[in-house]
Amino acid sequence: MKKLACVSLFLCFCVSLALAMGGPAPKKPGAAGSAPGLAEKVFLIDDFESGSLKSPREWWTFDLETVEPASNKGLKGGEEAVVSSIGEYSLLLSGMARNWYAGGLGTYLAKENQDLSKYNYFQIDVYGSGPGSGAVKVELVDDDSNNWTVEQNPEKNYAVTRDDKFVYEIKVDWDGWKRLFVPLSDFVLENPGAGDGVWNPQMSDGSGGLLQMQFICLALAENGKVNIDLDNVSLTMDK
Ligand SMILES: [Ca+2]
Ligand SMILES: [Ca+2]
Ligand SMILES: [Ca+2]
C-alpha cells in the first residue's frame, strides 16, 4: 500500500513537471476562430536585405542603367517609422529615360499552395529626392488563360495578350522615405480585352491567380532622369 502511494506521488510529480516545462500547446497561426498573425497579414515580397536580386527572390531587370540593392547609409530623411524599418539595403533605381521610359524589373509571385487573394493593399517604402525623382508604374498580372504563364507579344512591346494587367503609377515628388498603402482596388486595367477584365488573384480551375509584379520607371521629363529607392515591397491585409 505504501509503495503504491509512493508511485502515485511520483507520477503526480512527473505530470506537474511536464506541464510546467511544456505549458499549453502554442496556438497555430490561422487556426479557426483566431485572429491572423503578423506573418499572415503581411506578404513580404522583398526587403532587399540579402543584397542580391537573385536570392531569396529572383528579379529580372530590363533597360534601366542601375537596378541594384544599395546601402541605406545615406538615405536618412523622411518618415521616422520608415527610416527605422528599412534595414541595411534598399533597391536603387536610377538612369536616364528616353521618351519618358527608363526601364525596370519584375518578379514572378505565384506558387503552389499560396493564397495571395486575401491581401487588399500593395505596400511599399519609397525614397524620393524631390520633385524630379521620377515615377514608378506598378504592374500586376492575373492569370486568365489558366496556364500559370504571362503570354506576351515581343513584337508589340511585350504586351500582355491573354491575361489582365492592372497598373498603378506612383509619382515621386517628395524628399526622404515615405510609406505608401495602395488599395488593390485602385489599380486599373491597362489591357482591356486580353483577359476577363476582372481582378481575380485567387488560384482556381488551373489559373495561377496573381502571377507577377513589375516596376516600370518613368521620368517626369521626356529625356529626364529617374532616381528612386524602394524597400519593403509587400502585400497586406490591412492598412
Ligand atoms: Ca531593406
Ligand atoms: Ca496566362
Ligand atoms: Ca483577370
Side-chain angles (χ1 to χ4, degrees), residues 91-94 126-128 133-136 172 218 226-230:
L91 176 67
L92 171 62
L93 305 173
S94 162
V126 182
Y127 186 90
S133 304
V136 179
V172 184
L218 305 166
V226 172
N227 187 24
I228 295 168
D229 283 79
L230 305 180

Side-chain angles (χ1 to χ4, degrees), residues 201-216:
Q202 65 279 8
M203 290 174 201
S204 62
D205 301 330
S207 166
L210 172 53
L211 292 183
Q212 75 174 34
M213 162 181 289
Q214 289 201 132
F215 295 120
I216 310 294

Side-chain angles (χ1 to χ4, degrees), residues 32-47:
S34 70
L38 181 65
E40 238 190 315
K41 284 186 169 178
V42 178
F43 176 70
L44 178 66
I45 294 170
D46 210 332
D47 60 9

Side-chain angles (χ1 to χ4, degrees), residues 127-193:
Y127 186 90
S129 309
S133 304
V136 179
K137 188 167 77 163
V138 186
E139 300 183 340
L140 301 174
V141 176
D142 73 17
D143 183 19
D144 292 319
S145 59
N146 301 338
N147 62 357
W148 290 68
T149 300
V150 179
E151 291 92 340
Q152 291 176 281
N153 185 347
E155 284 163 21
K156 287 193 174 169
N157 210 10
Y158 291 90
V160 174
T161 54
R162 298 187 64 201
D163 304 308
D164 287 332
K165 178 161 87 173
F166 290 89
V167 305
Y168 184 89
E169 197 172 310
I170 301 166
K171 186 181 167 194
V172 184
D173 57 2
W174 57 84
D175 270 304
W177 284 106
K178 188 169 172 177
R179 180 159 295 166
L180 305 180
F181 295 90
V182 182
L184 292 175
S185 55
D186 281 2
F187 281 66
V188 295
L189 183 65
E190 197 186 59
N191 61 342

Side-chain angles (χ1 to χ4, degrees), residues 78-87 125-126 177-179 232:
E79 295 174 8
E80 266 176 45
V82 182
V83 175
S84 61
S85 62
I86 49 171
D125 295 337
V126 182
W177 284 106
K178 188 169 172 177
R179 180 159 295 166
N232 297 324

